[in-house]
Amino acid sequence: MEILLQQIINGLVQGSVYALVALGYTMVYGILGLINFAHGEVVMVGAMLALSALTALLGWGVPPLLALPISLILAMLGCMVLGYGIERIAYRPLRHAPRLAPLITAIGVSIVLQNLAMMVWGRQYHAFPQLIANQPHLIGGAIINDIQIIIFIMALAIMAGLMVVVHRTRLGRAMRAVAENQHAAQLMGVDINRVISITFMLGSALAAVAGLMVSANYGLAHYYMGFLLGLKAFTAAVLGGIGNLRGAMLGGLLLGLIESLGAGYIGDMTGGFLGSHYQDVFAFFVLIAVLVFRPSGLLGERIAERA
Amino acid sequence: MAHEANLPPLLEVRNLQVAYGGIHAVKGIDLHIWAGELVALIGSNGAGKTTMLKTLAGLLHPAGGQIKYDGNNLNDVAAHRRVAMGMALVPEGRGVFARLTVAENLLMGAYSRNDRHKIATDLERMYALFPRLAERRGQLAGTLSGGEQQMVAMARALMSHPRLLMLDEPSMGLAPLMVQKIFETIRDIAALGMSILLVEQNAKLALQTAKRGYVMESGAITLSGASGELLGSDAVQSAYLGG
């Protein structure tokens, strides 16, 4: 019972991070029909930027509780610039190219970013400084620590904020309009290039938050960390129904739970033959199962347009 | 017609040429609309009418010629900027945002306005003009009937406060009763002094609604004049009105 609860807690925390990253994939897909495979690297750059900023600020004697939010904001700004640049340089020139071209470009951007990060930050793992006491709390025999609580609450708050922006503001309305019909949106006076840029920047800001969360949770950051995380978040987006914001959030949380419960019980299920290090397999089982049985994802249903 | 001789037309198109998908769809068109005028552009399917309107709205780029609107050369003005200048196009097939509510669709129409405090008043005005939409303001536009979607598309265009309203086949796919209703509204809007360019395959209805008309065939204007004259002309009679 304690194990079940513990795995649920771990799964929800990890899942809320997946959800933040999945939102970035799904927003861009919704508006451009493009899988931005470089998005995982934006998460990595966010983690690295935050870590560098944090190290520098702490070195200057800035108190940790001030240094952390400043680093987060700097990482978000850095990633927004990066996201804007990726769209402007790599994707915009291919807006009307066959769909395969931007997809291959996305993989190329991903490789470029990984290698740039390796040149800047090196190949080694960077330890994330211990900033807060990170008290563990016991709930029904399971342990949840401060950082996990902060990650989960912050992720939920950010997602709620994003939903308000998308569903209650003029900008959000324009984003949904562009996602649905670019020509009609232009006829309303929407500068679609601007809306697309803003979408990339929003997604990248979420990625930066997620990057900081992952590295704070595991205490590590690495130039390669974005690859697997990105693939899993993409899986989460597909699971929820790519292009659907609620789907990305649901898919992220579900994937976190599936992975965590799978890792917790895979030993029992296989009589000890497979261990919890097979955790990553579950995400991709899910991806394959969704693509085979429900390619539109859990919430990916569309309203038919009438003539 | 009583136009001040020293005022240029609101819209003036000169020798406009558009190539679209490898086809020379518009081949040197001259057309003008005076402020406050309701003008019909008729022609058969594939004559280039929609291409022409898309080019006026800025969705397509001319291969040659000039579009002047309110004294400005529009050739290099992006589509979204033309809305703020007072041009609105209700596209063929309506182009409503199916996954936005009726109210959100109308608010999208007001996107480029800067007098945002007046938007709420205008929304109510639209609901008065189209009471059916008032009942369905919270409903997703994709769930409406074709006629209701046409109302959304027109109301949405009007929300931008256009000086020139361009309508592409507003009668297409609608039941006769709904067509009547839509055209009544077009006449009402025109009576308020708005300039309207009405593109229609239904030549009779369009010419009965407009004061003046152009006939377009394979990318060129073949006839133009007062609606009454066009309705009476043998060419229009035989080509569009079934003898």
Side-chain angles (χ1 to χ4, degrees), chain B residues 96-164:
Chain B
V96 301
F97 301 112
R99 279 171 280 168
L100 269 59
T101 65
V102 169
E104 285 176 329
N105 266 279
L106 299 196
L107 286 173
M108 279 310 298
Y111 183 84
S112 57
R113 280 170 55 181
N114 34 30
D115 53 343
R116 290 189 203 161
H117 57 284
K118 288 190 188 149
I119 289 174
T121 330
D122 278 0
L123 263 183
E124 291 312 315
R125 202 171 291 161
M126 287 309 138
Y127 291 142
L129 189 61
F130 302 100
R132 189 85 68 94
L133 299 186
E135 298 162 23
R136 313 200 162 200
R137 62 179 84 187
Q139 216 168 307
L140 293 184
T143 65
L144 303 186
S145 74
E148 289 164 344
Q149 289 193 11
Q150 185 64 46
M151 293 179 189
V152 170
M154 283 177 59
R156 190 178 65 171
L158 292 174
M159 285 296 287
S160 70
H161 273 190
R163 291 163 63 200
L164 174 62

Side-chain angles (χ1 to χ4, degrees), chain A residues 170 176 180 187 190 303, chain B residues 80 97-99 104 111 140:
Chain A
R170 178 170 172 269
R176 285 181 290 142
E180 194 173 321
L187 293 177
V190 177
I303 297 160
Chain B
H80 68 268
F97 301 112
R99 279 171 280 168
E104 285 176 329
Y111 183 84
L140 293 184

